[in-house]
Amino acid sequence: MGLSHSSVYHSSHVRSVTKSGPVVITPHQDVYPRLEIYDFCCDGTTYKPEFELLVQGYQAMYDRPYEDMRSFYQVAGIHGLPYSAYDGVTGGAHEYHNDTDWAIGRWGGYCHHGDILFPTWHRPYMLLIESLLIDEAKKIALQYPDKEKEKYVEAANKLRHPYWDWSAEKALEGIPNVFSKEKLEIYTPKGWKIVNNPLKSYTLPVDLSTPFPTKSNNPTAKPNYTPPSMDYNPYTPAGYPTVRHPNANYQDQYDVLNQEMLVYVPAVFRAGFYQMFLNDNYLHFSNHALRSNDTEMADTNPGHPNPLVFVGYAHFASIETTHDGLHIIAGGLGGHMSYPDITTFDPLFFFHHMHIDRLLALWQAVWVPESIAVNGTYTAKLNEKVNGNTDLTPFRKSEKEFWNSNDVRDIEKLGYTYPELMKFKGHDSKKLHSYILGLYKPDPHFGRRWFAKLTIEEGKLIGPYVIRVFVDLANATAKTPVTSPHFAGLVAMWRSTNNFRANGTTYTVGSVDITAAMERLGLRMEKHDYVSDVNATTGLLKSTSLFNVDTDINCVPVRQNGEEVNPKDAGVTNVEVYSFEHDNEDPNFLVKNTGQYHGAKKF
């Protein structure tokens, strides 16, 4: 994880303990819900004071001196770059050293990706940004005129950071306008003002990453800017904003982003979350990289590695995998959201991850068994074992103690909740489960659901890319639009990785729900199990096409710059197809190879 261009970045940005003392994250005193952004900012006047404080609070964090540990710059820098100690949290003997650790594939940020702490590490991270936001909001509320002050003080107390549900049907319309508007009109302590929108972008106070020798790859080349290869982090000079799908003028392209949302919300995100909520195994739910000898992966299946090597389950039962897809879609080539090292500098990251925290809160049933932090972090060495008591550094719950996953399990004790949890509080958890499945439930095809299973060797490509899956279109290429009825979905490879793994080859096993594409095209499989498949009068198969896995599944790996890569060069080794009776899917079918098998295609 991490891109090679950033390897020279470490030494020039050293951070230390803040002068006002260590940054301690304390739970909120009262419990209030985090709301979906449309409800929060677009529901008439209900949450208008909270929204106005949110906007001003973000700007206040931006305006803090960037050396301040409570500034947006420093908090954003916890996740990846600048690969230096935050608030004096070094990890002691295990502290990351760029000169040696980069070469062996260790991740230099604090964040956990590809291990069981992925959901829980981000929980105190979200609590940190939320706490700092509320602190700023409370100070701003006290500045309002006396006749308005009480209302805004109350709003500051109730304020919780909203989330963006990019898997809701509303997301088909694209990114909410509140994230794309240049200006916002809000009521401030000094009256009505038109202000720059801090939710659209963040302007870097210092250089982020390093300039490229090819001048056109740097934003200063606008109007002739060309984003660099996906092998490298984009360079953002001081004074330049974060961007989403930047064009040659280094400006956002929301038409491109919204077009991709229109396609990926139903084909990838909603299908992914439906499958995820069928899975009650935390190991498979939590992340996209597990040891296969912990997960019953047999070594007899075609194209599968030996169970003693690393295998990642990047399937639709994993919250991390669907999360990965949003990063790539929201950022695009050259956009900050697409790159793990710099993604947090786009404020959209925090609205995205509040949604991930919501999904974790809705799902929680089984909690953190032991696993391995395969990538390492700034304070965890490579392949270090982690569990529910592992410190979630650098997040302090006191000056000498750090939060762990067991500490953050009960979100009401942290001072927040979510609307669905309030609605179903005190009810049987099965009712909540049924409600969530109803939000994302897709339609079946001939009473069954169909999945293409991809086995992908990691490390073949450095940098985020996707593997698009097309059905019944042998000549599909990177130029084939994803609006084509033949496009079924994709596997997102957001996590970059070096070609090093001490314990052997690393694989990702991903799935794409191809049911909707088959239905659009009128396709069926060669094996027929149902009486309904046969015309009762003629005794012949109904007039739908036959389907052959070897010829009718086409995998097209595509980099963020639109470049097509040969499947084998992208690590695709095998594609298999399985089906299940609708509502009877085995969420662990990628591990057990259960369900009806329809054939395979090797690369």
Side-chain angles (χ1 to χ4, degrees):
M1 194 173 180
L3 305 177
S4 55
H5 190 57
S6 62
S7 62
V8 299
Y9 191 76
H10 175 71
S11 60
S12 62
H13 285 255
V14 178
R15 300 184 282 182
S16 60
V17 179
T18 180
K19 294 179 180 178
S20 57
V23 179
V24 176
I25 308 170
T26 57
H28 308 309
Q29 187 173 0
D30 302 305
V31 178
Y32 290 104
R34 291 176 180 170
L35 301 172
E36 209 283 329
I37 188 64
Y38 276 110
D39 296 330
F40 186 77
C41 71
C42 306
D43 185 24
T45 60
T46 305
Y47 302 106
K48 181 174 168 292
E50 287 90 339
F51 174 69
E52 291 167 337
L53 290 174
L54 172 81
V55 172
Q56 294 175 87
Y58 254 91
Q59 190 60 55
M61 289 190 292
Y62 291 176
D63 292 341
R64 279 180 172 267
Y66 78 88
E67 302 94 340
D68 186 338
M69 292 296 132
R70 293 173 173 83
S71 68
F72 183 84
Y73 174 82
Q74 292 291 342
V75 173
I78 290 171
H79 189 272
L81 285 175
Y83 287 179
S84 59
Y86 173 81
D87 200 28
V89 181
T90 65
H94 300 316
E95 182 177 9
Y96 176 86
H97 295 286
N98 198 72
D99 295 340
T100 55
D101 288 326
W102 179 265
I104 62 172
R106 180 175 168 182
W107 168 235
Y110 285 95
C111 79
H112 281 262
H113 285 270
D115 67 57
I116 59 168
L117 300 188
F118 164 72
T120 56
W121 181 89
H122 286 83
R123 177 161 283 175
Y125 195 20
M126 296 304 102
L127 191 61
L128 171 60
I129 194 75
E130 182 174 66
S131 297
L132 296 176
L133 173 70
I134 293 172
D135 287 346
E136 298 293 352
K138 288 180 176 179
K139 288 186 288 186
I140 294 166
L142 293 173
Q143 299 171 26
Y144 276 84
D146 289 343
K147 63 179 182 179
E148 306 280 359
K149 186 177 296 184
E150 183 178 353
K151 177 174 66 175
Y152 282 89
V153 167
E154 182 182 6
N157 186 51
K158 292 181 177 180
L159 177 62
R160 297 295 181 267
H161 196 298
Y163 62 91
W164 174 33
D165 184 356
W166 39 266
S167 50
E169 289 186 1
K170 185 75 172 176
L172 287 164
E173 300 175 11
I175 190 171
N177 289 336
V178 71
F179 297 127
S180 61
K181 290 181 178 179
E182 292 281 353
K183 304 284 186 179
L184 296 172
E185 186 175 15
I186 59 172
Y187 186 69
T188 75
K190 295 183 179 180
W192 287 99
K193 283 192 173 183
I194 296 177
V195 300
N196 291 328
N197 181 6
L199 309 185
K200 180 180 183 295
S201 62
Y202 169 63
T203 299
L204 272 298
V206 293
D207 292 354
L208 184 63
S209 194
T210 52
F212 289 89
T214 303
K215 292 185 178 179
S216 63
N217 291 151
N218 300 312
T220 50
K222 63 178 185 178
N224 299 304
Y225 173 62
T226 303
S229 160
M230 289 302 298
D231 292 348
Y232 305 104
N233 284 312
Y235 166 59
T236 314
Y240 278 68
T242 55
V243 285
R244 302 160 190 161
H245 290 268
N247 60 17
N249 283 311
Y250 197 68
Q251 295 174 330
D252 301 324
Q253 298 182 92
Y254 286 108
D255 56 337
V256 176
L257 194 164
N258 290 339
Q259 180 62 48
E260 296 204 344
M261 289 293 294
L262 180 63
V263 173
Y264 293 127
V265 169
V268 178
F269 301 152
R270 292 177 62 77
F273 288 141
Y274 177 79
Q275 191 68 19
M276 181 186 77
F277 277 104
L278 290 173
N279 191 352
D280 64 357
N281 184 320
Y282 183 81
L283 279 168
H284 302 161
F285 162 84
S286 64
N287 72 96
H288 60 203
L290 299 176
R291 293 181 300 163
S292 54
N293 59 337
D294 278 347
T295 53
E296 305 175 24
M297 169 66 81
D299 60 357
T300 56
N301 301 317
H304 284 162
N306 179 302
L308 294 181
V309 301
F310 281 84
V311 178
Y313 296 98
H315 54 78
F316 279 154
S318 162
I319 190 172
E320 185 173 15
T321 304
T322 308
H323 145 278
D324 291 353
L326 189 278
H327 272 282
I328 293 174
I329 299 312
L333 179 64
H336 290 71
M337 279 287 286
S338 291
Y339 303 80
D341 302 78
I342 61 176
T343 182
T344 42
F345 291 93
D346 184 335
L348 187 64
F349 172 90
F350 294 98
F351 294 82
H352 161 44
H353 263 277
M354 294 290 173
H355 180 45
I356 296 300
D357 185 78
R358 165 184 171 259
L359 295 170
L360 170 63
L362 294 177
W363 182 91
Q364 283 173 315
V366 180
W367 199 247
V368 198
E370 186 172 79
S371 182
I372 286 183
V374 294
N375 295 301
T377 69
Y378 191 84
T379 54
K381 62 184 180 180
L382 235 90
N383 303 320
E384 180 173 289
K385 288 190 176 183
V386 296
N387 56 39
N389 294 314
T390 299
D391 286 344
L392 301 177
T393 54
F395 308 119
R396 303 177 190 269
K397 64 178 179 181
S398 68
E399 290 194 11
K400 296 183 179 180
E401 292 182 293
F402 296 94
W403 290 94
N404 65 40
S405 297
N406 292 326
D407 293 331
V408 299
R409 182 173 182 176
D410 187 343
I411 61 174
E412 286 199 0
K413 290 182 179 179
L414 302 178
Y416 71 92
T417 185
Y418 292 99
E420 295 91 346
L421 296 179
M422 296 174 65
K423 180 177 181 179
F424 289 93
K425 188 173 183 178
H427 293 268
D428 189 324
S429 61
K430 291 180 180 179
K431 290 185 178 180
L432 174 60
H433 188 213
S434 178
Y435 174 80
I436 295 298
L437 288 177
L439 291 178
Y440 305 117
K441 186 174 183 177
D443 294 323
H445 184 45
F446 295 108
R448 299 183 74 80
R449 299 211 59 75
W450 308 83
F451 298 91
K453 168 184 173 181
L454 285 69
T455 302
I456 307 153
E457 181 180 346
E458 288 196 6
K460 289 289 188 177
L461 291 181
I462 302 300
Y465 63 98
V466 298
I467 301 169
R468 297 174 183 168
V469 175
F470 293 89
V471 173
D472 194 30
L473 189 64
N475 62 348
T477 68
K479 293 184 179 180
T480 304
V482 293
T483 53
S484 165
H486 297 269
F487 175 71
L490 58 81
V491 173
M493 302 292 284
W494 185 57
R495 180 171 60 103
S496 307
T497 148
N498 294 329
N499 290 316
F500 178 91
R501 183 67 69 201
N503 296 60
T505 306
T506 306
Y507 289 83
T508 285
V509 180
S511 74
V512 172
D513 187 331
I514 63 174
T515 310
M518 291 178 63
E519 187 172 16
R520 285 194 299 269
L521 300 171
L523 298 174
R524 67 182 313 129
M525 290 297 181
E526 292 179 337
K527 191 160 185 169
H528 314 287
D529 291 14
Y530 293 94
V531 175
S532 60
D533 291 351
V534 179
N535 187 297
T537 303
T538 66
L540 300 174
L541 289 173
K542 291 183 178 179
S543 56
T544 50
S545 305
L546 293 179
F547 183 93
N548 184 285
V549 176
D550 188 54
T551 58
D552 292 338
I553 290 284
N554 192 1
C555 296
V556 182
V558 183
R559 289 176 176 268
Q560 285 288 73
N561 62 359
E563 175 190 350
E564 182 175 340
V565 181
N566 180 278
K568 190 172 183 179
D569 293 337
V572 183
T573 63
N574 199 47
V575 178
E576 300 158 276
V577 174
Y578 294 83
S579 69
F580 301 85
E581 292 183 11
H582 192 53
D583 285 341
N584 195 32
E585 299 99 326
D586 181 352
N588 298 318
F589 81 92
L590 293 177
V591 182
K592 301 176 182 177
N593 280 359
T594 52
Q596 184 174 314
Y597 181 74
H598 296 278
K601 177 179 182 178
K602 291 190 176 183
F603 293 89

